[in-house]
Amino acid sequence: MPEEYHMNSCNPPSESYRLTDDQTHRLPVRILCIEDNEGDFGLLRAHLREARFDPSPSITRAKSLAEALQRLMNRQEHADFDIVLLDLCLPDSQGVDTFHRIRSADPSIAIAILSGNDDHDLAIDLVQQGAQDYLPKDALTPDVLMRCIIYAMKRQRYRVKLEKVTARLQRTTEELKLMQTQLMQVEKIDSLGRLASSVAHEVKNPLAAIQMGIDYLTMRCADTGEDVTQTLGIMQDAVSRADTIIHDMLHFSRTEDIRLVPCDLNELVNKTLRMLKHEVDRRHIDIKLALSNSLAETLGDQSKLEQVLVNVIMNSIQAMAHRGLLEIRTYSDEASDIPRDEGLREMNAMKTGDAVSIIEIRDHGPGIPDEIMTRIFEPFFTTKATGEGTGLGLSVCKRIVELHRGQMQVTNMPEHKGTLVRIILKAHSVPDKQQQIRSAAISLLTPLHPPL
């Protein structure tokens, strides 16, 4: 076991070297001396007795590196030390490695090397690596030892503070870089929005003229032959596709307020599926519904939430090509892990612990490749063939959900078994306990697959 000693000084009191937090009571300096040589340790104790410490220091001896490491690491049973007086030559460790082992055990403690030889190069090397002092044993005096201990403790305190400040600066730098990236993305989206709006308005007028020409020719050339009819049909398809693109671009660039009213998400899901029934049947998609009977209402713009559901469900259907399973689930929960915006002062912002209503849409397609997962919400980014998508769908959906103070999450299922889209909206009214009990009882009697 380590040996503990308390020095009794006969010298007059000197300045306090270690104070309590309230800076009113002097405390003894706590020294861990790692020294296996009895003569050297005895000389060190004699110097400490003669030094002008007030109160006298408390010194604990460890005769080996293993004993010292156990003492440093066992913080629950022993008080921390202020400084380590270290001999590099121990029975179980030699040289610079001894210093590094002690440094790793407690990076915050001051270490002064007491060596039996005057190796100038080694002294410089160890000080550069974190030792606070390097003293040859044959040069020790009470005053030199006292100054070594005092200045080593002070330098180590400054070093620890500097390391903390450096760590904070590094974190701040990383946060600033992240904020800069986010600001660049916001600026990019804003620029794209203005560009999209400008292009859309420029194209709408000539497109309307072309549509008028197609309508006129369709009426006048109804009996002119199959070739003309087919050509007009191709032209009509092209104009309709262009009109859809413009519609998406205008939605992307639009900044009008969302009109929030009490909204039943279950009804929105059923309404959306009715609108998409033809596409579901054409692609032979099976729908599995699990809609909660106790789902809380939310405040939402029904037409815009329908737009989100249509886009997400169509993406899921297209990802499965033909003959797939689409699962849609609604349920109530509490919001978790919502990042706090320090500058946000909106009363209706969603916070961790808020009651939320959630829509989950899961397909059984191949999933989203990992290399593009971070880009799926970028404007104009799409993996679809030319003419099948503008790359604005998910960007618009995410923006709509965020305008509702909600969150939209997209993740891959394990083992490439599809994609899960989660739409999280803050609940407007939460059913009371009795209503939840009644709804739960009713849900047991309700089929899992209600008719569309």
Side-chain angles (χ1 to χ4, degrees):
M1 293 295 292
E3 303 170 6
E4 297 187 10
Y5 305 86
H6 295 275
M7 303 290 101
N8 295 317
S9 175
C10 298
N11 293 304
S14 61
E15 63 172 314
S16 174
Y17 300 116
R18 191 168 67 87
L19 301 178
T20 58
D21 291 338
D22 61 6
Q23 300 292 301
T24 58
H25 297 90
R26 292 185 176 94
L27 292 176
V29 175
R30 298 164 299 193
I31 302 170
L32 174 61
C33 180
I34 308 174
E35 174 63 73
D36 65 317
N37 187 285
E38 294 291 343
D40 289 342
F41 181 67
L43 181 62
L44 183 68
R45 289 178 59 194
H47 288 324
L48 288 173
R49 276 195 296 267
E50 296 177 18
R52 294 177 294 115
F53 282 104
D54 181 28
S56 299
S58 169
I59 182 169
T60 299
R61 181 188 180 189
K63 298 180 181 180
S64 67
L65 177 63
E67 192 177 359
L69 292 176
Q70 182 181 11
R71 182 71 170 176
L72 286 171
M73 293 179 178
N74 198 352
R75 302 298 179 81
Q76 294 180 346
E77 297 182 7
H78 305 287
D80 291 342
F81 295 102
D82 299 304
I83 186 170
V84 171
L85 301 180
L86 175 62
D87 181 9
L88 295 178
C89 297
L90 299 171
D92 54 351
S93 181
Q94 298 288 321
V96 179
D97 183 62
T98 307
F99 165 76
H100 288 301
R101 297 280 297 279
I102 297 296
R103 171 93 285 161
S104 299
D106 188 348
S108 65
I109 196 169
I111 300 176
I113 308 297
L114 301 182
S115 175
N117 59 74
D118 188 6
D119 189 333
H120 183 73
D121 293 335
L122 179 61
I124 293 176
D125 186 41
L126 285 172
V127 169
Q128 289 177 342
Q129 295 183 50
Q132 294 303 329
D133 211 334
Y134 184 101
L135 294 175
K137 293 179 182 179
D138 58 6
L140 283 181
T141 66
D143 286 341
V144 168
L145 183 58
M146 184 181 69
R147 286 197 299 270
C148 168
I149 291 173
I150 294 171
Y151 294 139
M153 290 168 54
K154 287 183 177 180
R155 285 193 294 266
Q156 182 64 13
R157 283 200 297 270
Y158 295 147
R159 177 179 178 176
V160 170
K161 289 180 180 179
L162 181 60
E163 289 176 348
K164 290 181 179 179
V165 171
T166 302
R168 286 200 298 268
L169 286 174
Q170 290 175 342
R171 289 196 299 270
T172 302
T173 301
E174 293 301 321
E175 291 172 359
L176 288 174
K177 288 181 180 178
L178 178 60
M179 291 176 62
Q180 185 180 30
T181 302
Q182 292 173 341
L183 287 172
M184 291 170 61
Q185 183 67 11
V186 169
E187 180 63 26
K188 174 184 176 182
I189 291 176
D190 184 63
S191 299
L192 289 173
R194 292 195 298 270
L195 176 62
S197 178
S198 175
V199 171
H201 283 293
E202 288 295 326
V203 174
K204 278 185 68 177
N205 289 335
L207 200 62
I210 295 173
Q211 182 64 59
M212 290 175 59
I214 293 173
D215 293 340
Y216 174 78
L217 291 174
T218 299
M219 290 186 296
R220 296 294 300 269
C221 305
D223 301 324
T224 56
E226 184 177 348
D227 292 343
V228 174
T229 302
Q230 186 176 5
T231 300
L232 289 174
I234 294 172
M235 294 172 64
Q236 181 61 63
D237 289 342
V239 170
S240 298
R241 186 166 62 251
D243 185 64
T244 298
I245 294 173
I246 291 172
H247 179 77
D248 286 344
M249 294 176 73
L250 286 174
H251 268 291
F252 176 73
S253 62
R254 199 167 294 161
T255 57
E256 78 274 8
D257 293 335
I258 297 289
R259 183 173 176 269
L260 302 179
V261 296
C263 186
D264 185 342
L265 296 184
N266 287 343
E267 177 57 31
L268 280 179
V269 170
N270 285 319
K271 183 178 179 182
T272 303
L273 290 175
R274 286 194 294 271
M275 288 191 295
L276 297 176
K277 188 176 187 304
H278 173 75
E279 191 68 19
V280 169
D281 293 341
R282 185 175 73 86
R283 293 177 179 265
H284 306 287
I285 302 298
D286 293 326
I287 303 292
K288 180 179 178 181
L289 290 178
L291 306 182
S292 171
N293 290 308
S294 59
L295 189 68
E297 281 189 337
T298 65
L299 290 178
D301 187 310
Q302 297 191 34
S303 63
K304 286 182 169 52
L305 289 178
E306 284 176 11
Q307 178 185 349
V308 172
L309 291 177
V310 167
N311 195 291
V312 172
I313 292 174
M314 279 300 301
N315 282 349
S316 297
I317 291 173
Q318 292 171 358
M320 294 185 290
H322 295 275
R323 298 192 182 278
L325 173 63
L326 182 66
E327 300 180 65
I328 303 177
R329 175 189 176 210
T330 62
Y331 61 97
S332 298
D333 203 350
E334 287 188 356
S336 60
D337 300 327
I338 303 297
R340 182 172 181 266
D341 189 338
E342 298 291 344
L344 195 62
R345 294 295 180 268
E346 296 177 276
M347 295 298 294
N348 62 341
M350 188 164 61
K351 303 179 291 295
T352 298
D354 283 346
V356 292
S357 296
I358 299 174
I359 304 175
E360 287 186 350
I361 301 169
R362 179 193 171 182
D363 64 58
H364 286 255
I368 301 173
D370 293 338
E371 60 269 19
I372 67 170
M373 178 62 81
T374 57
R375 302 191 60 193
I376 58 175
F377 292 118
E378 285 187 14
F380 304 108
F381 177 78
T382 181
T383 59
K384 298 177 182 178
T386 303
E388 292 185 8
T390 63
L392 287 172
L394 285 179
S395 296
V396 172
C397 290
K398 187 172 186 290
R399 184 168 181 177
I400 290 173
V401 172
E402 288 175 347
L403 287 173
H404 283 76
R405 305 300 183 266
Q407 285 191 340
M408 183 173 177
Q409 303 169 351
V410 180
T411 56
N412 280 326
M413 300 302 293
E415 300 179 0
H416 305 287
K417 292 184 178 179
T419 302
L420 176 68
V421 179
R422 183 179 288 111
I423 300 168
I424 306 172
L425 299 171
K426 187 175 179 180
H428 170 55
S429 61
V430 181
D432 58 34
K433 289 293 182 183
Q434 293 298 322
Q435 176 62 34
Q436 292 183 13
I437 293 172
R438 289 194 296 270
S439 298
I442 294 172
S443 66
L444 293 175
L445 305 175
T446 304
L448 182 61
H449 311 289
L452 299 180

